C-alpha cells in the first residue's frame, strides 16, 4: 500500500513538473492555462512530493520536491520582474482608473455596476463585455460625458471606455484574427499632460495561437504611441504566460508590487490575475486594488492610481 501511494504521488508530481517545465523549451498554447498557474501547481506538486516522502523515503521524491520548489521560486521571481518602485503615499495621484470585465450576460447587475462606477471616483472607466450597462449609459454619461465603444466607433458593445475628460482621437482596433474591435486607443489630457490609454480584451490563450497573435499586435501598436501609456483590460492569462512576459519586456511595461487575483471568483485571493493594469514610463502605478464585490461577474474588477515620475 505504501509503495502504491508513493508511485501515484510520484507519477502525478512528475506530470505536473514536466508540463510546467515545457514553457522553458517552447510556448505550447494548449498548456497556457498551466503556465498561468505555475506557482499554484508547483506548490501543489511540492506538497505531493512531501506526502510521498512520508510514505517512502526515496531519492526520486526528493528530486521532484526540489524541481517543484525551483518552479515555485522562479514563478515568484517572474511576477516580481516588472514591479515598479513604490510611490510615496503622500504623492498625489494624477488620475484614477477602473477596469472591469462585467461578463456579457450579467444583466441583473447592470444597474449596480453603473452605480459603483459613478461613485468610484475614477477619472477613466474601462468596462469589458459591456452589454449589461448599455441601458445605463444615459446615467453614466452624466458623470462620464466622453466615451468610445458601444455604438461609438463600433456597433458591438464589448469594450466601453468612459472618461470625465475629452478623449483625443479615440479609435478602435482589432487584435489578432479571431475577435473584432476589442482594443480601444485614446489620449486624455490631464492638465497639460497627455496620457495614452489602451483598453484591451484578449481571447482565451488556449484558442489555437490567437492569443499570441494578439500580443504581437499590441507589441506593434505600443511603440507608435510615444509618451506615458496605460494598458489595461482582460488578458485571460496571468503575467507568467510566456507571451505576456515577452510583451512586458519588449515594451518596457511595469506593474504594481502585487497584482490582485481576479479569477476564478471562487478562489478569492488565492486565484490568479488575468486582468491587468500596466504602465509605461514616465507613468507609474501608485496602487492597484481589487474591487471586492464581483457584482455577479466571473471576474473581479480593478481600481488603479497613477503618478508621473519627476
Amino acid at each position: 500500500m505504501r509503495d502504491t501511494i508513493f508511485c501515484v504521488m510520484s507519477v502525478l508530481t512528475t506530470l505536473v513538473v514536466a508540463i510546467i517545465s515545457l514553457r522553458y523549451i517552447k510556448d505550447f498554447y494548449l498548456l497556457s492555462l498551466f503556465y498561468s498557474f505555475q506557482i499554484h501547481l508547483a506548490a501543489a506538486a511540492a506538497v505531493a512530493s512531501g506526502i510521498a516522502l512520508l510514505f517512502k523515503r526515496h531519492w526520486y521524491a526528493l528530486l521532484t520536491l526540489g524541481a517543484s520548489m525551483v518552479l515555485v521560486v522562479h514563478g515568484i521571481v517572474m511576477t516580481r520582474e516588472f514591479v515598479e518602485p513604490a510611490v510615496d503615499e503622500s504623492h498625489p495621484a494624477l488620475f484614477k482608473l477602473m477596469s472591469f470585465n462585467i461578463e456579457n450576460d450579467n444583466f441583473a447587475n447592470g444597474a449596480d455596476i453603473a452605480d459603483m462606477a459613478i461613485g468610484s471616483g475614477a477619472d477613466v472607466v474601462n468596462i469589458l463585455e459591456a452589454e449589461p450597462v448599455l441601458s445605463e449609459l444615459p446615467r453614466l454619461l452624466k458623470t462620464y460625458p466622453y466615451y468610445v465603444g458601444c455604438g461609438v466607433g463600433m456597433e458591438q458593445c464589448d469594450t466601453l471606455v468612459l472618461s470625465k475628460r475629452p478623449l483625443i482621437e479615440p479609435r478602435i482596433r482589432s487584435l489578432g484574427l479571431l475577435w473584432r474591435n476589442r482594443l480601444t486607443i485614446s489620449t486624455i489630457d490631464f492638465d497639460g499632460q497627455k496620457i495614452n490609454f489602451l483598453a484591451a480584451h484578449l481571447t482565451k490563450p488556449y484558442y489555437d495561437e490567437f492569443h499570441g497573435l494578439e500580443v504581437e499586435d499590441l507589441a506593434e501598436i505600443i511603440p507608435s504611441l510615444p509618451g506615458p501609456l496605460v494598458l489595461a483590460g482582460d488578458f485571460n492569462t496571468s503575467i507568467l504566460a510566456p507571451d505576456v512576459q515577452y510583451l512586458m519586456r519588449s515594451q518596457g511595461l511595469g506593474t504594481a508590487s502585487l497584482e490582485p487575483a481576479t479569477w476564478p471568483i471562487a478562489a478569492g485571493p488565492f486565484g490568479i490575475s488575468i486582468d491587468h493594469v500596466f504602465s509605461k514610463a514616465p507613468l507609474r502605478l501608485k496602487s492597484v486594488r481589487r474591487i471586492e464585490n464581483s457584482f455577479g461577474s466571473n471576474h473581479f474588477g480593478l481600481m488603479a492610481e497613477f503618478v508621473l515620475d519627476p
Side-chain angles (χ1 to χ4, degrees), residues 211-232:
H211 192 276
L213 294 173
E214 292 170 350
V215 168
E216 289 178 7
D217 283 351
L218 283 173
E220 292 180 1
I221 292 168
I222 291 173
S224 70
L225 302 168
L229 176 143
V230 178
L231 170 60

Side-chain angles (χ1 to χ4, degrees), residues 122-151:
D123 299 284
V124 185
V125 174
N126 297 341
I127 300 179
L128 308 177
E129 300 190 21
E131 189 78 32
V133 298
L134 182 58
S135 62
E136 305 296 326
L137 198 53
R139 283 201 305 125
L140 287 163
L141 292 180
K142 292 178 181 179
T143 302
Y144 300 99
Y146 308 98
Y147 78 103
V148 62
C150 291

Side-chain angles (χ1 to χ4, degrees), residues 237-288:
T237 189
S238 83
I239 201 171
L240 293 174
D243 56 359
V244 178
Q245 293 262 310
Y246 155 75
L247 180 68
M248 301 294 289
R249 292 193 187 99
S250 64
Q251 303 307 311
L253 300 176
T255 68
S257 61
L258 180 63
E259 284 197 293
T262 60
W263 180 89
I265 292 295
F270 300 102
I272 60 173
S273 179
I274 64 172
D275 303 88
H276 303 284
V277 180
F278 301 141
S279 63
K280 186 172 183 179
L283 194 67
R284 284 170 55 191
L285 278 157
K286 180 180 180 181
S287 66
V288 179

Side-chain angles (χ1 to χ4, degrees), residues 152-172:
V152 174
M154 69 169 96
E155 294 182 4
Q156 305 96 324
C157 195
D158 180 272
T159 305
L160 174 65
V161 177
L162 301 152
S163 174
K164 292 180 177 178
R165 300 178 183 233
L167 299 173
I168 303 170
E169 297 182 357
R171 51 203 185 275
I172 308 293

Side-chain angles (χ1 to χ4, degrees), residues 17-73:
V17 168
I19 288 171
I20 298 173
S21 298
L22 282 173
R23 65 165 298 148
Y24 300 103
I25 302 172
K26 183 174 174 58
D27 180 10
F28 293 96
Y29 69 86
L30 288 174
L31 302 178
S32 57
L33 189 62
F34 294 96
Y35 301 154
S36 289
F37 278 99
Q38 174 169 332
I39 297 173
H40 297 68
L41 292 173
V47 171
S49 296
I51 294 172
L53 280 170
L54 293 177
F55 284 91
K56 184 177 181 179
R57 296 190 179 277
H58 193 276
W59 65 267
Y60 191 79
L62 290 172
L63 177 64
T64 57
L65 176 61
S68 300
M69 292 307 300
V70 168
L71 291 172
V72 169
V73 171

Side-chain angles (χ1 to χ4, degrees), residues 170-222:
R171 51 203 185 275
I172 308 293
R173 286 282 303 267
S174 295
L175 292 173
L177 303 172
L178 185 59
W179 303 109
R180 292 183 54 79
N181 301 329
R182 280 190 158 191
L183 174 71
T184 68
I185 307 170
S186 56
T187 304
I188 301 175
D189 190 316
F190 289 94
D191 302 324
Q193 178 62 63
K194 291 182 178 180
I195 308 293
N196 296 306
F197 283 84
L198 278 72
H201 187 188
L202 278 64
T203 192
K204 292 178 175 57
Y206 42 82
Y207 284 6
D208 210 311
E209 296 182 352
F210 292 112
H211 192 276
L213 294 173
E214 292 170 350
V215 168
E216 289 178 7
D217 283 351
L218 283 173
E220 292 180 1
I221 292 168
I222 291 173

